[in-house]
Amino acid sequence: AVIMATFVLSAYLLYRQNVAINSLFGAALLIIIFNPYSLYNIGFQLSFCAVLSILLLNERLNPFKQGTTLHTIASFIVLPVSAILGTAPLMMYYFHNFPVYFILAAPIFTPILSYIIVAGLIFIIFGFPSGLFAIVINKSYELVLTMIKYISHLPSANISDIYLSPIVVFLLMCLVPILAAAIKYKRMVYCYIFTAISATTGILITFGTKTYPEREYYIVSSYSSTDILIKDSNILYIVTTAKPRLADAVKTNAEYKYSDYMGLRKMDSICVVTDTLRTKYISLKKPLLYIGNNTVLLMDNNYPVADIKCDILIISNGYRYNFSELIHKTSPEKIIFSNNFNAKLRKRYIKELKD
């Protein structure tokens, strides 16, 4: 905003015409020059898309003549609608939800937030000695937060579990400038393009959704443990080499780390397993883990092991057995050393395997 304001003032001082979109792209270019990674920042993407969408659609969607009272009243609805049209694809892509009641909240929050911003700037610039002004601003802000929380808890306030592919997001974002061009130039070609892109997007969303198997598993590694993610219907089982006392920490981390994985597969719960488990698809009694027809051997202790062939052998912290004998007994197809396994022992065991 400061950079855009600088461009606007520079144009005024140089007696040049100011074009808001040029100032916007100039600000974006300047930020990217100094920090190219800003392009991947969600806040950068949302803020610039919101402003661009407002510049393109705000006046064109407002049906009343500029400068009239009706135009001002309508802008309380049109402005946030313009912003949401530009940012909705990114919001659905990154946060996987869409606020349904924004159109109801916009006429209420837009004037209040405008007052808070202006009042805050006045307070900063002039520094009123009395705390009364600051209290009024703070109470107004708390009122907005309370109202937002209330609206967000209304039935069907959000459409959640939305997962869009990058190509769908790109097509949705292309609709904003095409809509602006269609309204401005009133040519049918833009309507045809808008309709074609909308239809293509609808087809991709409807028929391009990837299907996932009812059951699957992955082995993932973290700094302190090796975890086996097992999808069984709508439950994510996590068999971990972490200590039992760390099970809650593993679950908390998994809820954040695998939220997209679970959302795409319509999974609604996590179960962290450190010792024993038995379902139709999974059977765990350490050190043996059976996942369907696959056998995994979890060696995080000196368990006695009989001659049994396994598909995957996972060596974790706590194992101090004769490695060559273990390999001879189990004949694993794959061997995985957990990240928390002793580095010196890992090198020694790998040397034994090579020899």
Side-chain angles (χ1 to χ4, degrees):
V2 173
I3 297 172
M4 281 191 67
T6 303
F7 279 115
V8 171
L9 292 174
S10 299
Y12 174 78
L13 292 174
L14 296 172
Y15 300 100
R16 301 293 296 272
Q17 183 181 2
N18 172 59
V19 180
I21 290 182
N22 289 351
S23 299
L24 177 67
F25 283 108
L29 180 62
L30 201 60
I31 291 172
I32 292 171
I33 288 173
F34 281 96
N35 183 11
Y37 292 104
S38 297
L39 190 62
Y40 302 99
N41 183 278
I42 299 175
F44 176 89
Q45 295 173 16
L46 288 173
S47 60
F48 275 92
C49 285
V51 175
L52 179 61
S53 184
I54 289 170
L55 294 176
L56 290 175
L57 296 177
N58 188 41
E59 290 302 324
R60 293 181 174 91
L61 291 179
N62 199 320
F64 301 104
K65 186 178 179 181
Q66 192 170 5
T68 63
T69 304
L70 290 175
H71 181 278
T72 303
I73 296 172
S75 66
F76 291 142
I77 299 175
V78 174
L79 190 145
V81 168
S82 301
I84 205 75
L85 288 175
T87 57
L90 289 174
M91 289 170 57
M92 291 186 287
Y93 181 74
Y94 287 117
F95 307 114
H96 314 301
N97 65 68
F98 180 78
V100 177
Y101 295 149
F102 79 92
I103 193 67
L104 300 176
I108 302 171
F109 295 142
T110 302
I112 296 176
L113 288 173
S114 300
Y115 149 73
I116 291 174
I117 292 170
V118 173
L121 289 173
I122 293 173
F123 182 76
I124 292 171
I125 294 170
F126 296 100
F128 286 96
S130 172
L132 179 62
F133 194 69
I135 292 172
V136 173
I137 296 174
N138 186 54
K139 291 298 181 182
S140 301
Y141 180 67
E142 289 178 357
L143 175 63
V144 171
L145 288 180
T146 303
M147 295 170 68
I148 289 173
K149 288 179 181 178
Y150 174 77
I151 292 175
S152 67
H153 286 87
L154 291 174
S156 304
N158 286 288
I159 301 174
S160 56
D161 295 330
I162 302 173
Y163 291 88
L164 304 178
S165 65
I167 184 64
V168 169
V169 174
F170 173 75
L171 290 174
L172 288 173
M173 295 184 70
C174 288
L175 292 176
V176 171
I178 293 171
L179 176 62
I183 297 172
K184 180 179 180 180
Y185 299 110
K186 297 179 173 60
R187 295 178 61 181
M188 288 302 297
V189 63
Y190 293 111
C191 297
Y192 294 145
I193 295 172
F194 186 90
T195 304
I197 293 178
S198 300
T200 304
T201 304
I203 292 169
L204 288 174
I205 292 174
T206 305
F207 301 103
T209 305
K210 186 178 178 180
T211 56
Y212 297 93
E214 185 73 11
R215 295 181 174 92
E216 62 182 2
Y217 76 94
Y218 295 94
I219 299 175
V220 296
S221 183
S222 65
Y223 177 76
S224 59
S225 65
T226 296
D227 301 331
I228 305 174
L229 310 182
I230 308 172
K231 177 185 182 295
D232 190 1
S233 187
N234 64 333
I235 302 175
L236 177 63
Y237 292 97
I238 302 179
V239 178
T240 180
T241 61
K243 301 299 181 184
R245 58 185 173 82
L246 299 175
D248 289 340
V250 171
K251 183 176 181 179
T252 302
N253 181 58
E255 287 172 347
Y256 170 77
K257 190 174 182 181
Y258 305 121
S259 58
D260 287 355
Y261 172 84
M262 295 178 65
L264 285 167
R265 291 159 178 80
K266 310 299 181 185
M267 304 164 73
D268 54 23
S269 59
I270 295 176
C271 179
V272 178
V273 185
T274 59
D275 191 12
T276 59
L277 172 69
R278 181 174 291 276
T279 69
K280 290 182 179 180
Y281 180 59
I282 312 163
S283 177
L284 170 65
K285 188 174 182 181
K286 282 192 174 180
L288 286 172
L289 168 64
Y290 296 97
I291 310 172
N293 297 323
N294 298 300
T295 304
V296 180
L297 193 61
L298 295 165
M299 298 303 294
D300 58 355
N301 209 327
N302 294 328
Y303 300 106
V305 178
D307 292 348
I308 179 170
K309 189 180 185 307
C310 67
D311 299 292
I312 302 172
L313 171 63
I314 298 178
I315 306 294
S316 184
N317 190 36
Y319 177 75
R320 296 290 187 277
Y321 195 65
N322 187 316
F323 187 65
S324 299
E325 183 179 343
L326 178 65
I327 298 299
H328 178 73
K329 286 183 175 182
T330 57
S331 303
E333 294 182 7
K334 296 179 182 178
I335 301 173
I336 297 174
F337 290 97
S338 183
N339 278 346
N340 64 355
F341 187 63
N342 185 278
K344 290 183 179 179
L345 283 176
R346 183 191 297 127
K347 290 180 180 178
R348 195 183 87 188
Y349 290 162
I350 292 174
K351 186 178 184 300
E352 290 181 18
L353 286 172
K354 290 179 178 179
D355 293 340

